[in-house]
Each structure stands twice: as C-alpha cells, then as structure tokens.
Amino acid sequence: MTTRISLFALLLTAASTLLPFSARALEVPKGDVILTVTGRLDHPNADGKAQFDLPMLEALAGRSGEMETPWTEGRLTFSGPLLRSVLAAAGAHGTKVKLTALNDYSAELPMEDVTDLDTMLATRMNGAVMSVRDKGPLFLIYPFDEKPELMNEKYFSRSVWQIRDIEVTE
Amino acid sequence: MIDLDPGSGDIMQRASKATVVLQIFAVLLLVTLVILFIDISRKYSALQDGIRENALWSVYQLDREARRLHETLYVMIVEKDFSAARVKALSTRYDILYSRMSILDKASFDQKFRANATIGGLLTGIRQGVLDREEVFNALAAGRPVSPAVLEDVVRSFDLLIKDTEQLLLYSNTTVSTGRADARDEVLWLQAKSAGLVILLVCCMVFLVVTLRRQLKTVRLAGLSLERATSRLKDAYLDAEAGNRAKSQFMATMGHEIRTPLNAILGTAELLQLSPLPPTVASGVQTIRRSGESLLELINEILDFAKIEHGTLTIEERAVDVAAVVVATVDILRDRVTEHSNRFVLEMPSALPAAVIATDPTRLRQILLNLLSNAIKFTSEGVVTLRVIPAVLAGQPALRFEINDTGIGIDQTGLERLFRPFSQVDASISRNYGGTGLGLTICKQIVEAMNGTIGVESRKGEGSTFWFEIPAPAAGPALIDAQALARDTHESLPSLRILLVEDNAVNQQVAAGFLAHLGQTVVIASNGLEAVERAGAEPFDLILMDMQMPRLDGIEATRRIRGSDGPCSQTPIIAMTANASDDDRLSCQQAGMTGFQSKPVTMRQLRLVIAAVDLPEDTQAPTAAPVCADDAFELRRTEIVDALGAEAFDELLDSFFDDASSLLADLHVTLATEGSRDADRLLHTLKGAASSMGLQKVADHSENLRQGTLSKTLLNELEMTVAGYRRHIAA
C-alpha cells in the first residue's frame, strides 16, 4: 500500500515539473509578435488569442535536426519549438491545424501530424534567426531526418514557411 | 534382326534439337525478364525522385508577389499615405518577393526547367530588377525617409518587372505543359516497350509449352518403340532359349540312348574276356572294349557339356579326404602312364592344412582325370607330375593342383583357343589324339562353378602346366559326422552274395544300386524260373524275392528252391511285395519264406535286412512309416541320388516313364480284349515301379484300379497322373 501511494505522489510531482505552462497562464509577449494562435484556447493572452514573440517560442520544448529540403541548398540544421509544445502552451484543442503564411498561403494538417510526429516550428536555420527574405520568421519542418518516408508532395505542401497564424479547429 | 523403329532415331534427334531451342528461349526469357525489371525499377525511381518543388507554382507565386508589391506601392503613392504601418506592410511585401526570388534560385526543380535558356534569361532580368531596388526597401525597413520621387521611379521599374514575371509565368506554363506532354509520351513509350516485352514473354511461354508437349510426345513414342523392341528381343531370346533347350534335351536323350547299348557291348566284351579265347579273338575283344570305353568317355563329355550349357551343372558339398581322392584318381591312370612309356610323379605334402575339406569329390576327380589324361595323352617317354599345393583364394584356404608334363606343349595361338568349346589346339590334334575338345571347357566350367580358377602355362615343345585352384575349407564337424555315421553302418554290415529276383527293370536297378552301395555282391534274376535256376547253380547268402512275376511267381519259386537239394535250400528268402495283407504274409510263410519286406524297398530297410541275416528267425524289418505323396518323391530321390548319383536317378526316372507308357499302352490293349488277369499284372508292375521311384500317386492310383473294375475313363485318369508327374519333374 505505502509503495503505491508514494509512487503516485512521485508521478504527480514529475508531471508538474515537466509541464510548467499547463499549470500557468500564458505570459504576454514583450517583443514583436511573430505568431498568433487562434481557436478554442485554455491559455489565451490577448483578446482570446495566444500571441508569441521569439523568446517565448524558443523557451518551449523543441528539437533540432539536420536535413535536406526541396527549397534549400545542401544539408541545413533547423531548430525551434515542437508544434505540439506551442499548441500546449496556448492550451489549444482541436483536430485540425491551419497554418497561414505572410503571403496568405495556407495549409491544413491533421492533429496527428502534431501529436504523432515531431513537427517543429523552426525559428533558426544553421543557428541564425530566419528573416522573411529567407523563409522566416517561422518554418514548419517535418522530421525528414528521422523519417525519410515523409519526403513526398503531401508533406511538402504542408511545410509552410513565413508562418504568421495558426488556427486550431474542431 | 532386332532394331528400333526406323523413325525413332529421327524423332530422338528432333527432340534433342527442340531441347536446345528450348534452352535458348529459356535464356532469352530470362534476359527479357531482367530488362523488364530494370525498366520498371528505373520508372519507379523516376516516380520516387519527388524531392522537387513545383516550378510552375513558384513562378506563379513570384508573379503574384511582384504584382502585390507593385499594387501596394502604387496605392501608397496615389493615396500619399506614408504611415509607419503602410511602410512596414510594403517592406514585408518586398521581403516576401525577395524570398520567392531566392526560392526560384535555390529550390530544386526539374533539371530541364533551369537549363532552359529563355527561362534563365528572364530569371536573370527579374533578379536584377528586384536586387536593384534592395537599397530603397532596406532604407524603408530601417525607417529612413525615402522621397516619393524615388518610390515613383521604383513603381515604374516594377511595371517592367511585372511584365517580365508575367512573361516568365506564361513561358513556364508552356514549358511545363510541353514537358508534361513529353513525359507522358515517354511513359507511353515505356508502356509500349513493356507491352512488347510482355508479348515476347507470352510468346516464349507458348513456345515453351508447345516444345514441351512435343518433347513429351516424342519421349512417349520412343518409350513405345523401345517397349516394342524389348518385347521382340524377349521373344527372340525365348525362341533361342527354347531352341537351345531342345538341343540340350536332344543331346541328353541321345546320350542316354547311346549309352544303354554301349554298356551292353562293354559288359559283353568284359564277360568274353573272362572266358578262354584264342589270341586273335582276344585282341579283337580288347579292341572292342577299348573303343567302347573311349566312346563312352566321349559321350559322357558331351553329356556333361550339354548339362553345363543347360545350366543344370550342380556342385554338391561333402567331406572329402583330398589325399584319398588324388591317390585313387592317379591309380586309375597308372596303366595308361606306362602305355606311353611315361613316368608319373605325385608331389603332395604328407600333411595338408585340412585333410578333410568340403567340396565335390566327383567333380574334383573328373577335373583331375581330365587334365591328367590330357597330360598323358600328349606326352610320350616323358614325365607327368601332379603337385598338390596349399594356397589361399580370396582370403580363404584353397588348394592348388598343378599338372605338369614334358609333352608337345602349346603355342601362343593355341593357348588362346584353349578352354573354348569344340576347339582343339589345331585340327591335326583330333586326327592324332582324338577327343571332343570339350574336356577343358568342362573343366573350366566346373572349376568356376566351384568358385575356383583354372589356367595354363605352356611352351611349344617343352611341355605344359595346367593348374587349378579351388576353395578348400576344412569340412565342418556336422558334415564329417553324418558321413562317418553312414560309413560306420556300411562297414559293420557283412558282405553278402545276394540274389535279387525282380522282373521290373527300374526296380531291379534301384535295388541293385542300393545293395551295391551297401557293399553287397548282387546277382539279378528277372523272373522266378531264372531265380530257381541260379539258386540251384551257386550258393547265395540272401535271396530277395519279388512276389508277382510273369512265368513263375515268388511263392512258387520259393517252394521250388526250398524243395530242391541245391546250395540255396536253406538260404534266407525275403519276400518283397506291395501287398501287405495278412493273407499274403501267411502264404509267404507257408511257401517257406524267412521274412517279408514291403515295397518300395529303402536303403535303410535293406541295411536292416542284411544286418539281420545272421540272426535266427523273424528278420522282418519294421515297415517304414507312411509318408505323404509329395514328400515320398523327394525322400526317394534323395535316397537314390545318395546311393547311385543324380545322373542314375534321372536315367531311372526316364526308364520308368518309358516303361509306364508301354505298360499303359498294353493296358489299353487288354481293356479292349478284356484280359483282366493281364491287366492286374500290368497294374501291379506299374505300381511297383512307381513306388520304387517314390511316385506315390501313380502307385496308389494303380492299386485302386486293381481293386475295382478297369474302365477306359479310369485308365485315362491314370495316364493323366503319370503325365502330370512327367511335366512336374521336367519343370
């Protein structure tokens, strides 16, 4: 009995440590807003929306991966927060995620792409922040390095760059 | 002549050709398959090579962004609104256009797209147009003031840029469409090629099936023709075999037929020699006897050869005292050695490894006699040596016999022809020395049948050495015991003079043979009168009397002998009869007979009778236990073969069947004339002879006919029984 109770307590502690944002409300961005998340959100920080600046995004759990893409030359290292940690920070719920770029290009992806794949919102290319001229500020990168089978038109069309808005829908 | 169907060779050749074609096609098929596979995989990898950006889409985006930038700037100038928000929006539009520019520069498109010179030229112009205004937009982004005149200048230059991007879009659309059409054509061509290959593949398959079918048909045809040839060969073989058998049969019959009168001639000559003759006649009789003997030897050789050819040569195994056989054989030839002024030397170790070996004594004697006679025949005033040497053959103990002479010798060509049937060293040999030329062939066959080897070394004018080696395993104790026992019982028997009274020839020979084998002296009387005559003339120790005989039967003959004052009036007389009734016994006793013996007589019974001669009174031997009909023949056969040899048995059997057919013919005659007394006698004779040979069914049948009334049907049945036995034995 005692063992089981203490194990449960340990799990609780671990959960609260690992997921700091889920417990707290989202802070208000201090710098330029580069991403706005809309939809049914648990933690909006501005007018029912969740807005992020670069430091806020880079503080989230992310990944880094070296890969080739059809739009760049040679192998490049992309790094940035995972899309699911961004959505978790906003407390977004839904089944579909619609990404919209600065030039109004948009693509819709199923929530599975977010939960099952380590899809990241790359903020940096080879360590440098990406400018709009160079597909910045945010570039949705599928884990092409981990799963080469993703290298096809279906995922290429979902790989939106110059991301401005994310809308989570039911 | 036997040969295959004339067409079958052709068919085979065609089939093998078809096989070659088939193989080539199989290889072709394989190559085709490989080509198809490579094509498919190439096509597949072309499909797989999808890490490409859609060029047309990028060009469209470029054109769109250029127009939006142009529009934003134009609206700003027209509305003269240079607020920070408007400027920022304008700056973003430029950044986006710039990024679309670099996508076109860096992204991986279809190779053909960038290689196109027109597209390259347009792209360069557009890039220049965008980069030329970078300074202005950098300044705007940094918040530095830019004069409206400069912006108007930018709008004007972008008017041209838009035209360029539109041009690029239209041209790209055309190019991509063309490329798509080309790719479709290529795919179509690839499809056509694949279809061609598939058709070829199908052709290969069809050809394969057709060829296979044809080949199967050919194989079946060849099989059929082989089968036909085989059956024809079989027929031919059977024909040849039948012919050969008929020949062997004929030779055996002829041999038998010749030997009978020859034996009579020889016997008579021998008898003549015993009587005093004038010298001229004596030498004539001697010549008759010599010639008769060599004729008999020749016939025996031919018969042996016939037997060998017929495959009926049998080798038996007995415990044999080799030294005794060798000495006995040499003794037979002593006279002939001296006739040719030769000297004979026997070299045999005083102690052989096994004194008693298991082998066939008759055959061993035959080989030795043959080789020694040859040596003596071809040598004069020389030395003939027989060496007996212990040897080893195939790891087993063996004996080597060497017959060496200092005679005429044989040259190389002669040596090659030796051991072949009907061949002598040369034609003059048969003129000068006689002989059939079969002797060595027979020796070779016998030695080989004994698992031995035979050979010769010779040099013309210097003499020859014939040798043979036969396995000589020490005789097992069982074999020796059995023979020792047989010998002991012989040896303990008294040697008597016996008068055998028997009318039937077969029975005569069998009984006489048994008695001779038991070491007895036999005189034969063929009927009662003759018996009385003989018994009155000389003394006998024992008389064996048949009961039913023509002219004077056993009872009457016994009465007369007993009633005479002759030397045999007190001699024991044993009745031999197949009639075992009490009445018969009584009449035998009343006639003065000492004992009673049921027929057919066996060696064991005879031995007991002889052994009991000295004992007073009842010498009646126990009657043999009845045996079943089929066993009877085999038992009888073994007994007779043991005592007289297989050949004698065959001869006896032959004469039985001869007698039986004449008896049956007589029976038919008596049936027609209704002489029942004659019929009974004939049946009795047949019965006696049949039981003597162990043909129990014939004997029983005859006895049954005697009891009942004789009819043609019953007689025919008896004939069938005899014929049945004849067939059975011949098989």
Side-chain angles (χ1 to χ4, degrees):
Chain A
M1 255 340 235
T2 5
T3 335
R4 202 171 283 177
I5 288 169
S6 58
L7 189 70
F8 183 65
L10 190 74
L11 279 170
L12 268 179
T13 325
S16 57
T17 331
L18 285 169
L19 303 164
F21 288 103
S22 60
R24 279 173 269 154
L26 194 63
E27 58 180 302
V28 180
K30 294 180 185 72
D32 287 344
V33 173
I34 56 168
L35 177 68
T36 307
V37 179
T38 56
R40 198 156 64 78
L41 304 178
D42 289 346
H43 314 300
N45 60 0
D47 207 5
K49 299 171 187 167
Q51 292 185 326
F52 293 89
D53 59 10
L54 188 63
M56 278 169 76
L57 287 171
E58 290 196 326
L60 296 171
R63 72 176 290 263
S64 152
E66 192 187 275
M67 67 196 83
E68 269 186 282
T69 74
W71 317 278
T72 51
E73 280 178 318
R75 295 182 71 79
L76 298 170
T77 306
F78 292 95
S79 58
L82 292 174
L83 183 54
R84 65 169 161 273
S85 54
V86 174
L87 294 186
H93 302 281
T95 55
K96 284 173 190 159
V97 179
K98 189 182 173 190
L99 307 173
T100 308
L102 288 172
N103 67 342
D104 302 327
Y105 177 84
S106 72
E108 199 172 63
L109 38 143
M111 192 54 93
E112 287 78 46
D113 280 12
V114 181
T115 52
D116 300 352
L117 299 171
D118 286 342
T119 338
M120 80 168 123
L121 277 177
T123 51
R124 288 166 193 272
M125 191 158 70
N126 279 349
V129 173
M130 290 183 282
S131 65
V132 175
R133 292 183 189 180
D134 206 5
K135 305 173 197 66
L138 297 171
F139 189 173
L140 185 76
I141 295 289
Y142 275 85
F144 296 122
D145 53 339
E146 284 172 357
K147 295 185 157 97
E149 67 269 21
L150 298 176
M151 284 282 213
N152 63 49
E153 284 81 353
K154 179 172 144 190
Y155 293 102
F156 293 162
S157 70
R158 290 177 189 176
S159 301
V160 183
W161 63 75
Q162 294 169 341
I163 294 169
R164 186 184 65 203
D165 297 324
I166 295 177
E167 190 187 355
V168 181
T169 54
E170 292 300 321
Chain B
M1 229 27 248
I2 306 300
D3 59 357
L4 293 174
D5 270 352
S8 65
D10 249 21
I11 294 170
M12 296 293 231
Q13 219 160 18
R14 272 210 302 272
S16 69
K17 249 184 227 168
T19 311
V20 171
V21 174
L22 198 79
Q23 281 167 346
I24 291 168
F25 263 81
V27 171
L28 201 71
L29 195 83
L30 207 72
V31 170
T32 313
L33 275 172
V34 168
I35 291 170
L36 203 67
F37 177 77
I38 290 170
D39 244 11
I40 286 169
S41 68
R42 197 181 290 160
K43 200 165 140 189
Y44 185 73
S45 75
L47 275 171
Q48 197 67 356
D49 190 16
I51 318 175
R52 259 188 224 155
E53 177 61 347
N54 186 336
L56 196 58
W57 174 249
S58 296
V59 173
Y60 162 73
Q61 290 275 33
L62 177 73
D63 179 54
R64 187 162 171 263
E65 289 307 324
R67 282 175 186 283
R68 286 177 76 176
L69 175 61
H70 179 258
E71 186 194 321
T72 310
L73 187 58
Y74 187 75
V75 169
M76 263 178 80
I77 291 167
V78 170
E79 293 181 358
K80 295 192 187 334
D81 181 358
F82 297 104
S83 67
R86 281 289 183 93
V87 169
K88 189 169 172 19
L90 182 71
S91 177
T92 305
R93 288 261 79 88
Y94 181 79
D95 284 353
I96 292 170
L97 177 66
Y98 190 96
S99 81
R100 302 288 1 160
M101 261 295 311
S102 31
I103 287 291
L104 272 178
D105 277 349
K106 291 176 187 166
S108 55
F109 299 112
D110 192 344
Q111 294 290 321
K112 286 180 201 155
F113 183 75
R114 250 187 232 127
N116 190 303
T118 318
I119 289 173
L122 280 168
L123 268 178
T124 315
I126 292 163
R127 191 186 302 116
Q128 200 55 50
V130 174
L131 292 181
D132 276 352
R133 302 299 163 187
E134 196 182 0
E135 284 298 315
V136 180
F137 287 99
N138 281 351
L140 278 173
R144 286 198 296 276
V146 175
S147 72
V150 173
L151 289 177
E152 276 170 26
D153 186 39
V154 170
V155 166
R156 268 195 300 282
S157 74
F158 275 24
D159 282 343
L160 294 172
L161 185 75
I162 287 166
K163 281 198 183 77
D164 275 359
T165 58
E166 188 174 19
Q167 188 67 32
L168 178 63
L169 181 61
L170 290 173
Y171 187 79
S172 294
N173 188 38
T174 320
T175 311
V176 167
S177 298
T178 314
R180 205 179 291 141
D182 285 354
R184 202 167 47 232
D185 282 353
E186 204 177 327
V187 166
L188 274 174
W189 188 77
L190 205 67
Q191 269 177 352
K193 207 160 78 174
S194 302
L197 286 178
V198 166
I199 286 166
L200 201 64
L201 209 126
V202 169
C203 286
C204 278
M205 290 303 286
V206 168
F207 191 80
L208 214 114
V209 169
V210 167
T211 318
L212 263 176
R213 271 191 64 126
R214 260 178 53 187
Q215 205 162 11
L216 274 176
K217 204 171 137 195
T218 316
V219 166
R220 213 184 58 226
L221 278 176
L224 278 174
S225 95
L226 264 178
E227 215 169 273
R228 273 200 297 276
T230 310
S231 91
R232 256 177 291 161
L233 270 175
K234 204 168 141 192
D235 288 350
Y237 173 75
L238 284 177
D239 283 354
E241 178 79 1
N244 204 27
R245 196 175 302 146
K247 191 186 80 189
S248 300
Q249 185 74 45
F250 172 75
M251 281 174 87
T253 315
M254 282 316 290
H256 177 66
E257 295 295 328
I258 293 166
R259 237 181 331 180
T260 314
L262 195 58
N263 274 327
I265 292 169
L266 284 172
T268 316
E270 203 174 344
L271 278 175
L272 273 175
Q273 278 185 319
L274 291 176
S275 50
L277 293 171
T280 44
V281 179
S283 80
V285 171
Q286 174 68 16
T287 312
I288 291 174
R289 206 181 152 192
R290 271 286 159 78
S291 311
E293 273 166 1
S294 50
L295 184 56
L296 191 62
E297 218 168 275
L298 279 178
I299 290 161
N300 283 340
E301 270 188 3
I302 291 169
L303 282 183
D304 255 349
F305 181 71
K307 226 185 255 177
I308 287 165
E309 220 187 20
H310 200 215
T312 49
L313 178 78
T314 47
I315 301 294
E316 56 176 351
E317 204 163 86
R318 288 158 161 271
V320 177
D321 181 347
V322 185
V325 169
V326 169
V327 169
T329 312
V330 169
D331 275 347
I332 295 171
L333 294 166
R334 285 239 183 258
D335 288 349
R336 278 205 236 169
V337 174
T338 44
E339 266 171 41
H340 287 82
S341 318
N342 285 323
R343 201 156 56 80
F344 184 79
V345 179
L346 171 63
E347 286 177 17
M348 182 161 58
S350 52
L352 287 164
V356 182
I357 62 167
T359 189
D360 188 328
T362 321
R363 295 303 179 185
L364 176 59
R365 197 177 297 122
Q366 191 180 354
I367 306 165
L368 283 172
L369 267 176
N370 196 303
L371 296 180
L372 282 169
S373 319
N374 274 352
I376 293 163
K377 193 153 65 170
F378 296 112
T379 310
S380 54
E381 295 175 12
V383 184
V384 173
T385 312
L386 168 62
R387 289 189 200 93
V388 183
I389 307 157
V392 173
L393 201 64
Q396 300 293 319
L399 280 177
R400 181 182 171 92
F401 297 84
E402 282 184 7
I403 295 95
N404 174 260
D405 66 56
T406 55
I408 55 169
I410 308 157
D411 61 12
Q412 195 56 41
T413 46
L415 282 175
E416 280 162 19
R417 285 167 56 186
L418 278 180
F419 299 114
R420 268 195 238 154
F422 306 109
S423 72
Q424 288 181 325
V425 171
D426 63 58
S428 66
I429 294 285
S430 60
R431 278 201 304 278
N432 298 334
Y433 299 94
T436 51
L438 286 174
L440 285 177
T441 312
I442 293 166
C443 286
K444 185 173 183 318
Q445 298 282 357
I446 294 172
V447 168
E448 279 168 7
M450 290 168 106
N451 297 320
T453 48
I454 190 166
V456 62
E457 283 119 39
S458 183
R459 202 167 289 176
K460 185 98 180 155
E462 289 178 23
S464 316
T465 301
F466 284 82
W467 57 266
F468 65 96
E469 287 177 5
I470 51 165
L479 207 55
I480 297 173
D481 283 355
Q483 276 172 243
L485 190 70
R487 202 177 305 131
D488 282 351
T489 36
H490 289 200
E491 281 162 7
S492 64
L493 281 177
S495 187
L496 307 176
R497 274 178 60 78
I498 298 174
L499 177 64
L500 174 66
V501 190
E502 169 67 67
D503 65 325
N504 184 275
V506 172
N507 293 356
Q508 253 180 27
Q509 286 175 57
V510 172
F514 283 172
L515 290 170
H517 190 71
L518 291 170
Q520 310 299 316
T521 314
V522 188
V523 173
I524 296 170
S526 295
N527 56 55
L529 282 178
E530 207 181 314
V532 174
E533 218 169 277
R534 282 278 189 177
E538 45 187 315
F540 288 99
D541 298 321
L542 176 68
I543 299 171
L544 295 173
M545 180 79 76
D546 186 26
M547 294 305 281
Q548 282 197 323
M549 285 180 289
R551 297 177 71 179
L552 193 66
D553 70 10
I555 302 279
E556 191 51 42
T558 306
R559 272 199 200 108
R560 287 192 193 178
I561 293 168
R562 287 276 182 259
S564 73
D565 291 335
C568 294
S569 59
Q570 297 305 311
T571 305
I573 302 177
I574 305 289
M576 296 190 297
T577 178
N579 307 343
S581 72
D582 287 344
D583 282 355
D584 287 329
R585 286 167 186 252
L586 196 66
S587 53
C588 285
Q589 257 177 2
Q590 282 169 352
M593 286 184 167
T594 326
F596 182 90
Q597 191 58 60
S598 68
K599 281 170 95 175
V601 286
T602 65
M603 189 125 81
R604 183 164 154 270
Q605 284 170 344
L606 284 177
R607 186 181 296 142
L608 290 170
V609 166
I610 293 160
V613 161
D614 290 340
L615 302 175
E617 287 305 307
D618 197 29
T619 52
Q620 186 181 324
T623 311
V627 282
C628 97
D630 287 337
D631 287 347
F633 178 69
E634 273 313 311
L635 279 174
R636 197 67 186 160
R637 183 187 148 86
T638 318
E639 197 175 24
I640 295 173
V641 167
D642 241 26
L644 313 175
E647 209 166 289
F649 179 77
D650 290 345
E651 276 174 31
L652 278 173
L653 210 54
D654 279 353
S655 45
F656 165 75
F657 283 121
D658 288 351
D659 286 357
S661 40
S662 62
L663 282 171
L664 285 165
D666 288 352
L667 274 169
H668 276 292
V669 173
T670 48
L671 191 66
T673 56
E674 294 191 0
S676 65
R677 175 118 184 90
D678 279 348
D680 189 62
R681 188 182 53 77
L682 289 169
L683 283 169
H684 172 74
T685 312
L686 182 59
K687 181 198 164 191
S691 33
S692 216
M693 295 312 295
L695 302 175
Q696 204 55 46
K697 275 186 195 159
V698 178
D700 292 350
H701 213 124
S702 310
E703 181 60 24
N704 286 344
L705 288 185
R706 282 180 74 197
Q707 304 301 325
T709 345
L710 189 64
S711 74
K712 200 166 167 61
T713 338
L714 291 171
L715 195 56
N716 282 342
E717 273 177 29
L718 179 61
E719 267 189 302
M720 297 281 280
T721 315
V722 174
Y725 263 119
R726 190 167 208 162
R727 271 200 307 278
H728 177 72
I729 291 159

